[in-house]
Short mmCIF file of all heavy atoms in Angstrom, two decimals:
data_model
loop_
_atom_site.label_atom_id
_atom_site.label_comp_id
_atom_site.label_asym_id
_atom_site.label_seq_id
_atom_site.Cartn_x
_atom_site.Cartn_y
_atom_site.Cartn_z
N ALA A 485 148.83 97.42 130.17
CA ALA A 485 149.75 97.28 131.30
C ALA A 485 150.13 95.82 131.52
O ALA A 485 151.29 95.51 131.82
CB ALA A 485 149.13 97.87 132.56
N TYR A 486 149.16 94.93 131.38
CA TYR A 486 149.41 93.51 131.64
C TYR A 486 150.05 92.80 130.45
O TYR A 486 150.67 91.75 130.62
CB TYR A 486 148.11 92.80 132.02
CG TYR A 486 147.90 92.73 133.51
CD1 TYR A 486 147.41 93.83 134.21
CD2 TYR A 486 148.21 91.58 134.22
CE1 TYR A 486 147.22 93.79 135.58
CE2 TYR A 486 148.02 91.52 135.59
CZ TYR A 486 147.53 92.63 136.27
OH TYR A 486 147.37 92.57 137.62
N CYS A 487 149.91 93.36 129.28
CA CYS A 487 150.39 92.67 128.08
C CYS A 487 151.60 93.37 127.47
O CYS A 487 151.87 93.22 126.28
CB CYS A 487 149.27 92.56 127.05
SG CYS A 487 147.86 91.61 127.66
N THR A 488 152.33 94.12 128.29
CA THR A 488 153.56 94.77 127.85
C THR A 488 154.66 94.43 128.83
O THR A 488 154.49 94.56 130.05
CB THR A 488 153.39 96.30 127.79
OG1 THR A 488 152.30 96.62 126.92
CG2 THR A 488 154.65 96.96 127.27
N ASP A 489 155.79 93.96 128.33
CA ASP A 489 156.94 93.65 129.18
C ASP A 489 157.48 94.94 129.78
O ASP A 489 157.80 95.89 129.06
CB ASP A 489 158.03 92.95 128.38
CG ASP A 489 159.17 92.47 129.25
OD1 ASP A 489 160.05 93.30 129.57
OD2 ASP A 489 159.17 91.29 129.61
N ALA A 490 157.56 94.98 131.11
CA ALA A 490 157.94 96.21 131.80
C ALA A 490 159.36 96.65 131.47
O ALA A 490 159.67 97.85 131.48
CB ALA A 490 157.80 96.03 133.31
N GLU A 491 160.26 95.71 131.17
CA GLU A 491 161.66 96.05 130.91
C GLU A 491 161.93 96.35 129.44
O GLU A 491 162.56 97.35 129.10
CB GLU A 491 162.57 94.92 131.40
CG GLU A 491 162.53 94.73 132.92
CD GLU A 491 163.50 93.66 133.38
OE1 GLU A 491 164.19 93.08 132.51
OE2 GLU A 491 163.58 93.41 134.59
N SER A 492 161.41 95.50 128.55
CA SER A 492 161.74 95.66 127.13
C SER A 492 160.71 96.48 126.37
O SER A 492 161.00 97.05 125.32
CB SER A 492 161.86 94.28 126.47
OG SER A 492 160.60 93.63 126.46
N GLY A 493 159.47 96.54 126.92
CA GLY A 493 158.40 97.23 126.21
C GLY A 493 157.75 96.39 125.14
O GLY A 493 156.83 96.84 124.45
N ASP A 494 158.19 95.13 124.99
CA ASP A 494 157.62 94.24 123.98
C ASP A 494 156.24 93.74 124.42
O ASP A 494 155.96 93.62 125.63
CB ASP A 494 158.52 93.03 123.76
CG ASP A 494 159.87 93.42 123.16
OD1 ASP A 494 159.93 94.49 122.52
OD2 ASP A 494 160.85 92.67 123.36
N LEU A 495 155.40 93.47 123.43
CA LEU A 495 154.08 92.92 123.74
C LEU A 495 154.20 91.46 124.15
O LEU A 495 155.03 90.72 123.62
CB LEU A 495 153.17 93.03 122.51
CG LEU A 495 152.81 94.45 122.06
CD1 LEU A 495 151.95 94.38 120.80
CD2 LEU A 495 152.07 95.20 123.17
N ILE A 496 153.38 91.07 125.11
CA ILE A 496 153.33 89.67 125.54
C ILE A 496 151.88 89.19 125.43
O ILE A 496 150.94 89.99 125.46
CB ILE A 496 153.85 89.48 126.97
CG1 ILE A 496 153.11 90.39 127.96
CG2 ILE A 496 155.34 89.77 127.04
CD1 ILE A 496 153.57 90.22 129.39
N SER A 497 151.70 87.91 125.31
CA SER A 497 150.36 87.35 125.10
C SER A 497 149.49 87.54 126.35
O SER A 497 149.97 87.37 127.48
CB SER A 497 150.45 85.86 124.77
OG SER A 497 151.20 85.66 123.60
N PRO A 498 148.23 87.91 126.15
CA PRO A 498 147.32 88.03 127.31
C PRO A 498 147.04 86.67 127.91
O PRO A 498 147.12 85.63 127.23
CB PRO A 498 146.06 88.65 126.70
CG PRO A 498 146.11 88.28 125.25
CD PRO A 498 147.56 88.25 124.88
N GLU A 499 146.71 86.67 129.18
CA GLU A 499 146.36 85.42 129.85
C GLU A 499 145.02 84.91 129.33
O GLU A 499 144.14 85.70 128.96
CB GLU A 499 146.26 85.64 131.36
CG GLU A 499 147.55 85.98 132.05
CD GLU A 499 147.36 86.10 133.55
OE1 GLU A 499 146.97 85.09 134.17
OE2 GLU A 499 147.57 87.19 134.09
N SER A 500 144.88 83.61 129.34
CA SER A 500 143.59 83.03 128.96
C SER A 500 142.62 83.10 130.14
O SER A 500 143.04 83.11 131.30
CB SER A 500 143.77 81.57 128.52
OG SER A 500 144.31 80.80 129.58
#
Side-chain angles (χ1 to χ4, degrees):
Y486 266 79
C487 299
T488 304
D489 187 278
E491 295 183 0
S492 66
D494 295 336
L495 294 178
I496 55 179
S497 300
E499 294 183 61
S500 61

